[in-house]
Amino acid sequence: VARLDADTFVDRDGLRFRWRLGPDGAWSGWTRDRWVRASELEPGPHRLVVEVRGSDGRSASKSLEFTVQPPWWRSPFALGGFAIGLIGLGVLVGRLRLRQLEAAKVHLEGVVQERTAELERLAGELEKASAAKSRYLADMSHELRTPLNAIIGYTQLMAEEARDEGVDFLLDDMDRIEVAATHLLALINNVLDLSKIEAGRLELQIARIDLADLARQVGTALEPVVRAKGNRLVVELDGSAWVHADAHRVRQILTNLIGNAAKFTENGTLTLSLTRESGVTTLHVRDSGIGMSPEGVARLFKPFVQATASTSKKYGGTGLGLVISKELAVAMAGDVTCVSTEGEGSTFRLHLPSAG
């Protein structure tokens, strides 16, 4: 706010004024009001230009330099204080947040430790339960095998006596009893082997054995089974193939692989062959049977599972033979693998470490 005056004019009551701020500002209208009022001026230097006109037509102008000071909250000291306050507030908030995070970390660590301890306890209980189950199965299997072996033995004796006495009409029934008992014994043996493997009680007699000769023996023993469905067994095993393995367990694996190939092949060909590579000897059991889809192959080595439900219904079986065969091979530092094409056949491979 400024008051305007003009001492050089005689008729001071007839004066009129107008003004503007700065050289580029807009002029105010002519007025007799001697007060200049301006608001919301930016802090800093300004120039007020005033023009006065008298009643006699004379005029004059004058300028006034002045400076507008900023409000206290926009002063450098205030802005510096605000900045320091904001920094302090940020530090305080950061420390509070850090404390919250540390508390949350301690809480989570405690929860994780509790859960870990609980999982370890449950894992220990499950391991004990699994071991108890395996021991129970092993004991029960042993108790069941003894009477079954007696049934098979007495059935064979009775069949021989029936033949000697000429009572041939009893032979078919005795054969059925023997086949059923033998099948049940094989199932019990599989359960026993599986329980031993799960319990870690499998005992192996690793020695240097001739895999080719063992395969020829098993092939000869199973030839009646192969021919039962009109199949032909081709043995492409020349010479010897020495490996480090348990002869009894290898015979068990080969019996299972060749028996499976014969079961799922009709009027086809089963071929036994050998390859050697990088210290591993591989026996191939190839058939021209029904084959499997990739999904079926993926389910092969799971306990009590067969490739498809229709396969289990049509061909029977428990789904344990291949599982046990693979576990036995792995225990002998080998493996059992399979490649198959649905409708064309399958090839099962027994890999064992070579013995030179």
Side-chain angles (χ1 to χ4, degrees):
V1 178
R3 188 177 187 278
L4 305 178
D5 206 349
D7 295 334
T8 59
F9 289 86
V10 177
D11 184 12
R12 297 176 66 181
D13 293 333
L15 297 178
R16 291 184 299 167
F17 302 89
R18 69 174 184 175
W19 57 271
R20 69 180 179 183
L21 289 172
D24 300 325
W27 286 102
S28 67
W30 288 102
T31 179
R32 294 183 185 277
D33 187 1
R34 293 172 180 263
W35 291 93
V36 175
R37 297 173 179 85
S39 61
E40 299 182 359
L41 296 179
E42 290 293 328
H46 293 274
R47 183 183 183 188
L48 175 64
V49 181
V50 180
E51 188 173 327
V52 61
R53 181 177 293 178
S55 58
D56 58 359
R58 289 189 304 147
S59 62
S61 64
K62 194 174 182 179
S63 63
L64 173 67
E65 303 288 342
F66 66 94
T67 300
V68 176
Q69 297 296 329
W72 69 268
W73 46 268
R74 292 183 63 179
S75 67
F77 292 104
L79 293 177
F82 291 152
I84 293 173
L86 288 175
I87 293 173
L89 181 61
V91 171
L92 178 62
V93 171
R95 287 182 176 178
L96 290 175
R97 183 58 179 164
L98 183 60
R99 289 181 181 178
Q100 291 177 347
L101 292 175
E102 289 177 349
K105 177 185 175 183
V106 171
H107 174 70
L108 287 176
E109 288 177 348
V111 172
V112 169
Q113 289 177 355
E114 290 178 2
R115 296 293 186 271
T116 302
E118 180 67 13
L119 289 174
E120 290 176 350
R121 184 184 67 80
L122 291 175
E125 291 180 358
L126 288 174
E127 186 175 352
K128 291 179 181 177
S130 178
K133 178 206 69 174
S134 299
R135 287 194 299 270
Y136 173 77
L137 288 175
D139 293 340
M140 288 301 298
S141 298
H142 178 74
E143 294 298 326
L144 289 171
R145 283 198 305 173
T146 301
L148 274 175
N149 282 321
I151 291 172
I152 294 171
Y154 278 113
T155 302
Q156 292 172 346
L157 288 175
M158 292 173 64
E160 291 179 3
E161 291 181 1
R163 290 189 187 92
D164 293 340
E165 298 293 334
V167 190
D168 295 338
F169 68 90
L170 295 177
L171 294 178
D172 289 341
D173 292 333
M174 292 180 182
D175 287 341
R176 292 190 184 94
I177 294 172
E178 182 179 355
V179 169
T182 302
H183 177 74
L184 184 57
L185 180 61
L187 175 60
I188 292 172
N189 285 334
N190 284 339
V191 172
L192 178 61
D193 286 338
L194 186 61
S195 64
K196 285 182 178 179
I197 292 170
E198 291 180 346
R201 296 169 56 187
L202 182 67
E203 296 180 359
L204 297 173
Q205 301 295 326
I206 303 297
R208 186 171 180 269
I209 63 172
D210 186 354
L211 180 60
D213 182 60
L214 194 57
R216 285 190 291 264
Q217 294 177 25
V218 175
T220 300
L222 293 181
E223 195 154 352
V225 177
V226 174
R227 291 179 178 176
K229 287 192 174 183
N231 298 313
R232 183 170 63 96
L233 180 64
V234 177
V235 180
E236 299 176 353
L237 305 172
D238 297 327
S240 299
W242 296 96
V243 297
H244 288 295
D246 184 314
H248 171 67
R249 295 303 185 180
V250 171
R251 184 184 297 274
Q252 180 180 347
I253 295 172
L254 293 177
T255 300
N256 185 270
L257 297 183
I258 298 173
N260 265 2
K263 181 195 295 186
F264 297 108
T265 305
E266 293 185 12
N267 301 316
T269 302
L270 278 64
T271 305
L272 305 183
S273 60
L274 275 169
T275 57
R276 300 176 182 83
E277 183 178 0
S278 302
V280 177
T281 299
T282 301
L283 177 72
H284 305 261
V285 180
R286 186 172 68 252
D287 65 63
S288 58
I290 60 176
M292 291 171 287
S293 64
E295 294 78 12
V297 174
R299 290 193 296 266
L300 269 183
F301 299 104
K302 296 180 180 180
F304 305 102
V305 175
Q306 291 197 344
T308 63
S310 59
T311 298
S312 177
K313 183 177 180 180
K314 181 177 180 180
Y315 296 96
T318 61
L320 287 177
L322 289 175
V323 177
I324 293 171
S325 296
K326 185 178 182 69
E327 292 293 340
L328 291 175
V330 170
M332 294 184 289
D335 200 1
V336 173
T337 59
C338 174
V339 292
S340 184
T341 301
E342 195 167 9
E344 296 183 11
S346 305
T347 299
F348 284 86
R349 297 165 179 165
L350 170 60
H351 310 275
L352 291 172
S354 301

